[in-house]
Amino acid sequence: MKNFVRFLREDYYKHKMVFNLIILSSLILCSMITQYMSIFVLIAVLIMLLTSSKTDAFAYLGFLSSFSNIVRLFDVEFIFISALSFYALYLLIYMIVKKEFKYNWSLISLVIVLIIYMLLPIGEYNYLKIGFVGIIILSIALPSMLWQKRDEINFKKVLYVTFLGLVISVVFSSFVEYIPNANQFIERFYANGEYRFQALYNNPNFLSGNCVFFISIFIFFIYKSPRVVLLDYCCLGFLYIIGFSTLSKGFAVSAILTLLVLAVILFLKMRKSQKLKKYLWYYIIAMILLCAVGVSVLVSRIPLSEIFNLSVLTTGRSEIWKVAFTELISSPLNFLFGLGLGTQIYHDGIYYAAHSSFIDVVYKLGFLGSLLILSIIVISFITIFKKINLKSSLINIFPVFMA
């Protein structure tokens, strides 16, 4: 018996990530039946984060991200963001204690000013305000730590495990109708009578946005890789298919843009690789077909007679943006300081989000807050550009641009 237990323990540590992902998948499947199982998902993830390397920890978080809509408690999607925030705080404290965190005092000063600015008594103090403050701080701190630890983290492994989470999410979504209570948080969306696929996300646009980000990251690794990795191209094909199934206009446009970037990268690589030249026509045919699908999605969602109608192009969001802009310029104080992080856009008797990160930031934080965030981004990129050459910098910011 002792030998059997020893064998199991050794086998677990040898294939630790495989076993942990099976455990997570099983718990996630159970949480689709009852929310209360989500607490076990959170406990399991926290244990895995504290007992794993940085690479594996971020891989588990990436895997969990595709299930954030169904792994919830009290009807709130806070399991994933709680685990991510916990690990980011843990890593920050660890790096500070070990004196591994490199300080950029100009950036830190701007971040402190931004935090004070966001906490000013502008608009309502509610869960939205607190949530936005936390998300903005996390969005600044996490990339900074990832950049400083870039040599210790295998980002390709993180990407593959995160992609695996998306694939399992797609598989699980195929059985939603047969799992008790599983469809209670998954609203079905349609466009012109056609079903818009969303996997286990609460909105097809969230799925399409993630697909765009994944695609840009895979293109980045294809550019960086000195050899042909067939798995990367297979993953790309899967992401394009899933993205198009959401019938998202934004994804269709982004797909065409990323295909153009990929075509340029492959052309440059073909000049150096005889192996790639053998598959030239396959790449050309695949790209033409994918571009054709992108165009067909746009045509199916936008009638040619309405091609210049901004409201149709943005699915009515331009009307919300007009209301937001009108409120913003209604007074100098609103323009300078915004309407507050706890405020939503009121239009036709309903409160809306802006459905645009840029407009949301300007509407909530005003000119001064937007200027602070822009300054932080610019200084961050200048710092990165000083570490790597210009040619590398341009392709390195491609995933950020697409996101």
Side-chain angles (χ1 to χ4, degrees):
M1 185 65 180
K2 288 183 179 179
N3 290 334
F4 178 68
V5 172
R6 189 183 300 113
F7 168 77
L8 287 179
R9 187 167 54 219
E10 290 175 356
D11 197 49
Y12 169 77
Y13 283 112
K14 192 182 294 183
H15 306 95
K16 184 177 179 181
M17 173 158 280
V18 175
F19 281 112
N20 283 346
L21 291 179
I22 292 172
I23 292 168
L24 270 183
S25 300
S26 302
L27 290 173
I28 287 166
L29 191 59
C30 292
S31 69
M32 292 174 70
I33 301 172
T34 171
Q35 283 189 58
Y36 298 108
M37 285 301 297
S38 295
I39 190 65
F40 293 101
V41 176
L42 179 60
I43 292 169
V45 169
L46 293 180
I47 292 171
M48 291 173 191
L49 294 179
L50 293 174
T51 57
S52 303
S53 65
K54 296 179 184 67
T55 294
D56 288 359
F58 281 110
Y60 294 135
L61 288 169
F63 182 87
L64 185 62
S65 64
S66 294
F67 305 96
S68 57
N69 181 45
I70 58 168
V71 180
R72 54 164 77 197
L73 278 175
F74 311 113
D75 293 345
V76 180
E77 309 167 31
F78 74 89
I79 298 291
F80 168 69
I81 195 67
S82 297
L84 181 61
S85 302
F86 166 81
Y87 189 68
L89 182 61
Y90 166 78
L91 187 58
L92 179 62
I93 293 172
Y94 176 86
M95 290 174 66
I96 291 174
V97 170
K98 295 288 185 178
K99 297 181 179 179
E100 296 176 356
F101 191 82
K102 298 174 184 177
Y103 297 93
N104 183 321
W105 289 110
S106 57
L107 265 178
I108 290 175
S109 302
L110 283 172
V111 171
I112 292 172
V113 172
L114 177 62
I115 293 171
I116 295 170
Y117 179 87
M118 290 189 295
L119 294 174
L120 289 175
I122 302 170
E124 294 183 52
Y125 273 98
N126 53 22
Y127 73 96
L128 286 174
K129 189 181 187 76
I130 302 302
F132 269 112
V133 170
I135 288 170
I136 291 174
I137 294 173
L138 184 63
S139 301
I140 295 170
L142 191 57
S144 174
M145 290 185 287
L146 285 172
W147 170 254
Q148 294 187 31
K149 290 292 181 182
R150 64 191 182 279
D151 295 329
E152 300 177 28
I153 299 174
N154 184 344
F155 288 103
K156 193 68 176 286
K157 183 179 180 180
V158 174
L159 177 63
Y160 281 143
V161 175
T162 305
F163 176 78
L164 178 63
L166 176 62
V167 173
I168 294 175
S169 170
V170 170
V171 173
F172 280 3
S173 68
S174 304
F175 300 97
V176 161
E177 295 181 4
Y178 307 102
I179 303 173
N181 302 321
N183 61 354
Q184 59 181 319
F185 302 118
I186 305 172
E187 181 184 352
R188 295 179 74 89
F189 289 81
Y190 295 86
N192 301 328
E194 293 185 73
Y195 171 61
R196 298 184 62 192
F197 183 69
Q198 65 198 82
L200 295 179
Y201 291 80
N202 62 0
N203 190 301
N205 294 326
F206 291 158
L207 174 58
S208 65
N210 272 9
C211 285
V212 170
F213 184 66
F214 280 137
I215 286 169
S216 62
I217 296 293
F218 272 112
I219 291 175
F220 168 78
F221 279 114
I222 286 172
Y223 172 81
K224 287 288 189 180
S225 176
R227 58 191 180 87
V228 178
V229 182
L230 183 60
L231 179 60
D232 289 351
Y233 293 95
C234 292
C235 292
L236 270 180
F238 178 85
L239 288 167
Y240 278 115
I241 292 169
I242 295 299
F244 283 129
S245 68
T246 66
L247 301 182
S248 166
K249 298 191 293 288
F251 179 83
V253 173
S254 299
I256 294 170
L257 290 174
T258 53
L259 283 168
L260 291 174
V261 172
L262 183 60
V264 172
I265 290 173
L266 290 177
F267 173 75
L268 294 174
K269 282 184 170 290
M270 282 177 188
R271 295 168 60 186
K272 302 176 183 178
S273 171
Q274 292 297 323
K275 187 177 180 180
L276 272 175
K277 286 181 181 179
K278 295 178 183 178
Y279 302 101
L280 174 61
W281 286 107
Y282 295 105
Y283 291 127
I284 292 173
I285 292 170
M287 288 185 181
I288 290 174
L289 286 174
L290 288 171
C291 283
V293 173
V295 172
S296 67
V297 168
L298 287 174
V299 171
S300 69
R301 294 292 310 278
I302 307 170
L304 290 177
S305 58
E306 303 287 348
I307 195 71
F308 297 110
N309 187 327
L310 186 60
S311 182
V312 173
L313 287 172
T314 60
T315 322
R317 289 171 188 152
S318 62
E319 302 303 318
I320 300 171
W321 298 341
K322 286 177 185 176
V323 173
F325 182 71
T326 303
E327 285 188 65
L328 192 65
I329 63 172
S330 62
S331 75
L333 283 177
N334 284 355
F335 177 75
L336 286 174
F337 297 100
L339 286 91
L341 287 172
T343 308
Q344 290 183 293
I345 304 167
Y346 188 73
H347 177 58
D348 286 345
I350 302 174
Y351 287 98
Y352 290 95
H355 294 283
S356 167
S357 299
F358 302 107
I359 293 173
D360 227 9
V361 167
V362 175
Y363 176 75
K364 293 175 182 294
L365 294 178
F367 174 76
L368 295 179
S370 303
L371 188 62
L372 276 172
I373 291 178
L374 182 63
S375 301
I376 291 169
I377 293 171
V378 170
I379 292 175
S380 299
F381 277 123
I382 290 173
T383 304
I384 292 172
F385 286 174
K386 287 180 179 178
K387 300 288 183 181
I388 50 182
N389 62 59
L390 181 59
K391 184 180 177 182
S392 298
S393 301
L394 293 176
I395 192 65
N396 284 340
I397 66 171
F398 171 66
V400 179
F401 170 74
M402 291 309 301

